[in-house]
Amino acid sequence: MLATYTLKQIDKIAEEIRTRVSIQPRISMILGSGLGTLSEAVQNPTVIPYRELSNWPVSTVEGHAGNLVIGQLEGKDVLMMNGRIHYYEGYSPQQITLPIRVLQRLGIEVLVVTNAAGGINQSFVPGNPMLITDQINLLGMAGQNPLRGPNLEEFGVRFPDMSQPYDRELGQVARKVAQELGVTLYEGVYVGLAGPSFESPAELRFLSIIGGDAVGMSTTSEVTVARHSGLRVLGISGITNKCSLDGESITSHEEVMETGQILTPKMVKLLKGILNRI
Ligand code: HPA
């Protein structure tokens, strides 16, 4: 039988966090690769290493630190997840999304998810962000849905609606902020895969045909669980590379990390501007 978490286990972690902070943020951000700088800008920070929290999965990937940073940014109380874990590291979708369950019990209402992604849409120039308007959880569609297993009624219904995974109002705020700041913001559908290998040209053409604009190895499980209990989600991908639909150029982790550095200031600017408005 599948290993899942009980409400008691989830509440234990929520309590471990609550005892260490005096504020109750409504907004949480998951910071993907290279966005740690945003958590460094948090004022009056309480930093909680993931390893100090019961059962909290710890990342093994370069560029993904592992701690919660709780404090103020742009005058708002926020809870930052600095670093996340991935399915390809060997964790189950249920483990990957345990933090989302904890956020829900802590009273978080808005979840901002960020990630690095490859641009399937050939008009995307790497080094620019993309507003995620919808997602294809291919991992979930292949049987690895994080909600598989006993349903915890305290969070949501057995068969949750997914008609609007990403909040339209928050998306509108992101568009407006990007326009005001003069930041290019593409829009599109994010496809979540298992990884860790990058995609073959035929796989990329398939993802393009089914409507994908960007592809990555995170996010879709977290958003599925977030929506289960009605969190409002805003998603921004940093496009780090152009996916080669004909196999004429290669994709490497180094390229992803390098372009990530170009993206960081743009993402930070955008996310701060958005935070200011929500
Ligand atoms: N494919 C999958 N995941 C990614 C990519 C990609 O091209 N770029 C960054 N994350």
Side-chain angles (χ1 to χ4, degrees):
M1 183 65 184
L2 183 73
T4 54
Y5 298 97
T6 61
L7 187 62
K8 207 171 151 195
Q9 286 173 309
I10 295 163
D11 279 343
K12 180 165 184 263
I13 310 172
E15 198 48 37
E16 288 169 357
I17 296 168
R18 230 183 254 117
T19 56
R20 292 172 69 161
V21 286
S22 52
I23 56 170
Q24 206 187 35
R26 299 277 169 227
I27 305 169
S28 182
M29 283 192 180
I30 302 182
L31 305 176
S33 329
L35 279 177
T37 48
L38 197 56
S39 67
E40 285 162 20
V42 170
Q43 292 171 322
N44 309 312
T46 299
V47 179
I48 307 177
Y50 292 161
R51 63 183 142 72
E52 292 177 11
L53 298 168
S54 307
N55 288 316
W56 196 286
V58 178
S59 172
T60 58
V61 191
E62 189 193 335
H64 287 264
N67 47 46
L68 295 181
V69 182
I70 304 156
Q72 287 85 36
L73 190 61
E74 296 294 305
K76 300 265 161 62
D77 289 346
V78 288
L79 186 156
M80 300 282 195
M81 272 183 62
N82 188 16
R84 62 146 74 80
I85 54 153
H86 303 81
Y87 183 78
Y88 62 75
E89 294 178 65
Y91 292 105
S92 69
Q94 286 75 14
Q95 286 174 303
I96 291 165
T97 54
L98 172 65
I100 308 297
R101 289 310 194 197
V102 175
L103 296 183
Q104 288 163 336
R105 296 300 277 180
L106 285 172
I108 295 293
E109 293 165 4
V110 170
L111 179 67
V112 180
V113 290
T114 64
N115 58 44
I120 300 170
N121 187 323
Q122 298 293 293
S123 74
F124 290 174
V125 177
N128 292 296
M130 181 194 90
L131 173 69
I132 308 177
T133 53
D134 202 347
Q135 71 177 26
I136 300 176
N137 184 9
L138 264 193
L139 189 55
M141 293 175 81
Q144 295 289 339
N145 189 301
L147 299 174
R148 181 168 172 255
N151 185 53
L152 293 175
E153 296 292 332
E154 290 81 1
F155 290 97
V157 295
R158 171 76 291 188
F159 302 105
D161 171 65
M162 282 296 281
S163 59
Q164 288 182 29
Y166 297 86
D167 191 88
R168 291 185 183 175
E169 264 177 52
L170 293 175
Q172 199 49 33
V173 172
R175 282 186 195 102
K176 212 159 164 233
V177 169
Q179 200 180 23
E180 284 171 11
L181 295 174
V183 173
T184 299
L185 182 63
Y186 300 129
E187 299 195 13
V189 174
Y190 175 91
V191 184
L193 303 183
S197 48
F198 288 115
E199 304 73 34
S200 72
E203 286 166 347
L204 288 167
R205 291 194 299 274
F206 163 74
L207 298 182
S208 174
I209 289 166
I210 65 171
D213 294 293
V215 60
M217 305 171 190
S218 68
T219 306
T220 52
S221 300
E222 287 119 305
V223 171
T224 302
V225 169
R227 291 303 299 148
H228 182 228
S229 70
L231 291 195
R232 296 170 62 205
V233 180
L234 174 71
I236 312 270
S237 289
I239 304 297
T240 55
N241 56 290
K242 186 171 185 162
C243 294
S244 176
L245 306 192
D246 57 9
E248 289 305 317
S249 66
I250 66 159
T251 299
S252 69
H253 184 58
E254 288 68 31
E255 180 189 6
V256 169
M257 298 300 280
E258 260 174 48
T259 314
Q261 288 187 356
I262 297 169
L263 268 156
T264 301
K266 295 182 188 180
M267 295 283 277
V268 167
K269 199 166 143 184
L270 190 60
L271 291 167
K272 279 188 177 175
I274 291 168
L275 200 54
N276 198 282
R277 297 291 185 85
I278 57 178

